[in-house]
Amino acid sequence: MKLAIKDLSKAFDDQVILKDTSYTFESGKIYGLLGRNGAGKTTLFNCIAKDMKWNSGEILLGEDDQSLGDYDPLNIGYVYATPHLPSFMTGLEFITYFMEVNHGRLRDPNISATSYLNQVGLDQAAQTRLLRDYSTGMKNKVQMLVSLIVSPPVLLLDEPLTSFDPVAAKQMKDFIISLKKDTIIIFSTHILQLAQEMCDEIVLLHQQQLHPVTASDIHTANFEAEVVEMLSSGENTDEN
Ligand SMILES: Nc1ncnc2c1ncn2[C@@H]1O[C@H](COP(=O)(O)OP(=O)(O)OP(=O)(O)O)[C@@H](O)[C@H]1O
């Protein structure tokens, strides 16, 4: 599976966020998207998820180079940094409803809503509480579950794991890693250690362009210094 970004440009009025940038993401790898605050990571995710229109260029999905083409946004699982959940439903009601609506797309129809919620550490008492009374970490767990239950070919994670306790973070990390064979996983993070730990490839979004960091550099002692240096380049012209 491949997700190809070709000559993509996106601006908000006269603020250019992406300028003719290209990158190809493949399944079997976890990609870490790093960039300064306001560089455009969430904007890029919004474009890939088709939540937002872009100005020019293409975003294509396919099994291989020959089959790359337009795609249904249902192929994109998107875990937002700020969860969007119906506050008037309990966790169990929401996951049950979600599984009913997405009946034909479930990764494993034999796993129940209760079992999924238990797997992410939401016990029976939490499951029957209204989502508006959940902590941020609990909401994020529910949001992550939604994408994992339907197994989309592309999974976008906007700053995942930051609200999870150490046990939940470890569970989620293992879960994400277990998906990578069949899924294109791109996650944005500011935590370099997490990127080093989980990613096969790092992509820097800097000065309106996507830049690869070679795999051999990710695990070197100089990685942090190199990333900081790259993201600091052109600082005087950067609006951050
Ligand atoms: N809907 C919008 N309308 C106008 N400007 C926007 C909109 N969404 C984002 N922006 C602007 O685009 C720029 C990129 O924002 P974005 O949220 O994509 O950055 P980011 O890299 O995800 O940042 P952070 O690391 O701080 O989360 C910012 O200057 C932001 O204010």
Side-chain angles (χ1 to χ4, degrees):
M1 187 67 72
K2 287 188 173 190
L3 175 75
I5 291 176
K6 293 192 173 172
D7 303 319
L8 190 71
S9 293
K10 169 70 190 170
F12 294 109
D13 299 322
D14 55 0
Q15 184 189 10
V16 180
I17 307 294
L18 301 166
K19 190 174 176 188
D20 292 331
T21 195
S22 300
Y23 207 92
T24 299
F25 299 92
E26 295 175 19
S27 51
K29 286 184 185 176
I30 298 180
Y31 295 84
L33 181 64
L34 305 183
R36 303 288 301 272
N37 289 127
K41 301 177 292 297
T42 303
T43 302
L44 175 65
F45 281 177
N46 288 337
C47 292
I48 295 172
K50 297 195 181 179
D51 282 354
M52 191 177 264
K53 291 203 162 88
W54 55 91
N55 299 87
S56 60
E58 292 179 300
I59 308 180
L60 307 168
L61 184 66
E63 279 302 329
D64 48 34
D65 288 336
Q66 286 69 40
S67 61
L68 281 175
D70 195 13
Y71 56 91
D72 188 318
L74 282 176
N75 286 296
I76 313 294
Y78 188 1
V79 180
Y80 301 87
T82 315
H84 302 261
L85 293 170
S87 55
F88 56 89
M89 285 178 130
T90 67
L92 183 57
E93 282 168 352
F94 176 64
I95 293 297
T96 304
Y97 164 78
F98 180 82
M99 289 176 72
E100 278 169 16
V101 171
N102 292 283
H103 188 66
R105 302 200 297 137
L106 302 179
R107 173 198 308 280
D108 185 347
N110 297 317
I111 300 179
S112 68
T114 310
S115 170
Y116 271 122
L117 286 156
N118 280 330
Q119 271 181 34
V120 294
L122 293 168
D123 62 17
Q124 203 189 354
Q127 291 180 21
T128 51
R129 211 180 299 157
L130 289 177
L131 287 166
R132 69 163 179 237
D133 297 329
Y134 275 30
S135 71
T136 306
M138 291 163 79
K139 285 182 192 161
N140 279 333
K141 283 179 179 177
V142 173
Q143 231 218 331
M144 187 85 95
L145 259 188
V146 162
S147 282
L148 301 178
I149 286 172
V150 291
S151 188
V154 179
L155 187 57
L156 308 176
L157 304 162
D158 200 358
E159 299 190 37
L161 310 179
T162 43
S163 62
F164 291 152
D165 67 53
V167 178
K170 171 80 174 80
Q171 284 174 336
M172 287 300 176
K173 267 190 260 185
D174 292 346
F175 204 12
I176 293 168
I177 290 169
S178 76
L179 298 176
K180 85 171 181 181
K181 188 170 158 283
D182 305 308
T183 315
I184 299 169
I185 300 173
I186 312 171
F187 76 84
S188 75
T189 183
H190 294 299
I191 306 172
L192 293 184
Q193 198 193 345
L194 184 65
Q196 277 178 299
E197 205 182 308
M198 289 188 61
C199 294
D200 301 287
E201 207 164 309
I202 302 279
V203 185
L204 298 187
L205 177 49
H206 187 54
Q207 297 185 319
Q208 303 143 5
Q209 296 287 323
L210 294 162
H211 308 270
V213 176
T214 51
S216 56
D217 286 341
I218 297 177
H219 300 287
T220 62
N222 279 340
F223 173 71
E224 182 174 0
E226 281 174 23
V227 168
V228 170
E229 190 183 329
M230 284 193 244
L231 294 181
S232 305
S233 68
E235 191 127 70
N236 294 338
T237 55
D238 202 88
E239 70 173 53
N240 294 305

